Amino acid sequence: MRFNEEEEEQKENERNLQSYAIGVEFPPQPQQKLIVGYALTSKKKKSFLQPKLEILARNKGILFVAIDHKRPLSDQGPFDVVLHKLTGKEWRQILEDYRIEHPEVTVLDPPDCIQHVHNRQSMLQDVADLNLSDFYGTVGVPKQLVITKDPSSIPDAVRKAGLMLPLVAKPLVVDGSAKSHELSLAYDQFSLSKLDPPLVLQEFINHGGVLFKVYIVGEAIKVVRRFSLPDVNERELLNNHGVFRFPRVSCAAASADDADLDPCIAELPPRPLLEGLARELRHRLGLRLFNIDMIREHGSRDRFYVIDINYFPGYGKMPEYEHIFTDFLLSLVQSKYKIRSANNTRKV
């Protein structure tokens, strides 16, 4: 009967498909889950794992699973991705050991690369070495000086280095605490000895009171404006004395995206310039999750400065972060599949 013939034909096709599938990997199917193990502080978990992210991720086949710190990491999972932002030598060693034991798992990001941007002396060195300059503008870093001890030596060190007042003072080490993101503005030489080392002193550059936060998620780039410290004119520099302390300016300040700003100040950095900068820093830093705090020198249209780099920043404040981040996670799996497929093709 025709029905039996069709049934036999279907069975034969299934057998052929099974035979063909031996040694060949197919792309992940929608019903397969991408398992992301996360190790975050309670504060980071609350700001990052918002309901809108978890719902969208679930719809895309991505499942976030909390890592239990009381159990060995290798006994948990299996994970496709490990997402983390914890500090401490013990945790770094756990992750390094895990990366060696499980090279198939993507760790975002490598602990040794993260350490590089936890020190303000080294974090901007890659930008300085890059010396990016093209048709769209230039990107540099403010002139800076590292002070490790003895506050009384700061005025003399500043004179020898040729730094111009006012100076921005920042803690040397970024350890994730609120204190490590505080900054001070010193207006005169005498007040410099009141600062508390270890710290980095940066020349203050007038920038119209607006800072650009450049969020980077893999190859995706998103820029937002934030209000920053106001410009300092000559009269203020002469009349103000002492050290003025500020909280974490770029995070505490309100968004400047909808503010009525001078177009010359509000204009975002050129997209090609940002793409070139992000591409170079991804390579040099070895990071895929970070943001750049960037300013434009007031009175200039194309002279920019990077003043800070942060690993795994507050993405919850980035518009459409849930779409950008889930697309990024899926792209990691697709990249791995392409590599495995290429290796299998070469073996055939």
Side-chain angles (χ1 to χ4, degrees):
M1 294 176 63
R2 178 62 181 168
F3 176 78
N4 290 335
E5 291 176 1
E6 290 179 349
E7 188 176 22
E8 283 298 321
E9 184 178 352
Q10 182 178 354
K11 290 181 179 179
E12 181 64 25
N13 287 338
E14 289 175 352
R15 285 194 292 269
N16 290 338
L17 184 60
Q18 290 171 356
S19 299
Y20 175 74
I22 296 175
V24 179
E25 292 185 57
F26 290 96
Q29 298 302 309
Q31 65 268 23
Q32 289 184 317
K33 294 290 185 182
L34 172 64
I35 309 299
V36 180
Y38 66 87
L40 307 173
T41 62
S42 56
K43 182 180 178 181
K44 192 67 178 179
K45 177 184 175 183
K46 183 178 179 180
S47 67
F48 176 72
L49 284 178
Q50 298 178 28
K52 60 181 181 181
L53 172 63
E54 292 195 277
I55 292 171
L56 180 62
R58 199 178 303 119
N59 291 337
K60 291 185 174 183
I62 302 170
L63 184 64
F64 288 99
V65 178
I67 291 174
D68 186 349
H69 306 285
K70 298 178 182 179
R71 295 171 52 206
L73 185 53
S74 290
D75 291 349
Q76 302 180 59
F79 301 122
D80 298 294
V81 176
V82 168
L83 187 66
H84 70 100
K85 193 175 184 182
L86 297 178
T87 57
K89 292 182 179 179
E90 183 179 357
W91 172 249
R92 290 201 303 271
Q93 191 58 54
I94 289 172
L95 273 184
E96 289 292 358
D97 294 342
Y98 182 80
R99 291 180 68 211
I100 294 172
E101 295 174 15
H102 298 274
E104 76 282 3
V105 179
T106 300
V107 175
L108 296 172
D109 275 307
D112 56 333
C113 296
I114 297 171
Q115 282 300 107
H116 188 70
V117 295
H118 278 176
N119 184 301
R120 286 196 166 96
Q121 181 177 14
S122 59
M123 76 159 58
L124 298 184
Q125 190 57 51
D126 287 296
V127 181
D129 293 342
L130 182 59
N131 194 26
L132 182 62
S133 178
D134 61 20
F135 173 79
Y136 299 98
T138 62
V139 179
V141 299
K143 193 173 182 180
Q144 68 177 30
L145 175 67
V146 175
I147 304 292
T148 57
K149 55 184 178 179
D150 188 10
S152 63
S153 69
I154 298 178
D156 188 50
V158 167
R159 278 194 298 270
K160 289 180 178 179
L163 268 63
M164 302 293 292
L165 294 165
L167 295 175
V168 178
K170 303 177 182 180
L172 178 61
V173 177
V174 182
D175 59 9
S177 67
K179 185 176 178 59
S180 69
H181 290 284
E182 292 178 351
L183 58 85
S184 303
L185 193 61
Y187 280 89
D188 62 278
Q189 290 279 351
F190 175 75
S191 65
L192 293 174
S193 59
K194 298 179 180 179
L195 296 172
D196 186 22
L199 51 80
V200 170
L201 295 174
Q202 288 181 350
E203 284 189 339
F204 179 77
I205 297 172
N206 284 335
H207 52 284
V210 172
L211 174 148
F212 302 106
K213 291 196 80 70
V214 184
Y215 292 98
I216 296 167
V217 184
E219 295 185 5
I221 301 172
K222 193 82 171 180
V223 188
V224 298
R225 302 178 190 86
R226 289 281 186 271
F227 285 114
S228 179
L229 298 180
D231 289 349
V232 177
N233 58 39
E234 290 291 335
R235 183 170 60 84
E236 291 172 327
L237 187 58
L238 291 173
N239 294 333
N240 288 331
H241 302 280
V243 176
F244 293 79
R245 304 187 187 279
F246 300 89
R248 188 173 182 176
V249 175
S250 64
C251 287
S255 169
D257 281 332
D258 299 322
D260 185 17
L261 299 171
D262 181 333
C264 295
I265 295 174
E267 183 183 8
L268 296 177
R271 187 75 184 182
L273 185 70
L274 293 179
E275 289 174 347
L277 177 62
R279 182 171 56 250
E280 287 291 339
L281 288 182
R282 274 196 305 268
H283 173 71
R284 290 169 179 257
L285 297 175
L287 299 175
R288 284 176 280 191
L289 301 178
F290 62 101
N291 90 293
I292 304 165
D293 286 350
M294 194 175 187
I295 58 174
R296 174 193 287 112
E297 186 172 353
H298 190 46
S300 166
R301 186 177 182 182
D302 59 1
R303 191 154 56 247
F304 299 92
Y305 294 88
V306 174
I307 58 174
D308 240 339
I309 299 175
N310 302 290
Y311 167 67
F312 200 161
Y315 286 119
K317 299 177 183 178
M318 180 179 75
E320 301 178 337
Y321 92 101
E322 67 274 18
H323 295 280
I324 294 172
F325 212 94
T326 51
D327 286 346
F328 164 66
L329 291 174
L330 292 175
S331 73
L332 295 176
V333 177
Q334 292 168 358
S335 297
K336 283 187 175 182
Y337 168 73
K338 289 179 180 178
I339 294 172
R340 288 198 299 265
S341 296
N343 291 338
N344 288 333
T345 300
R346 284 195 290 266
K347 291 177 182 179
V348 175

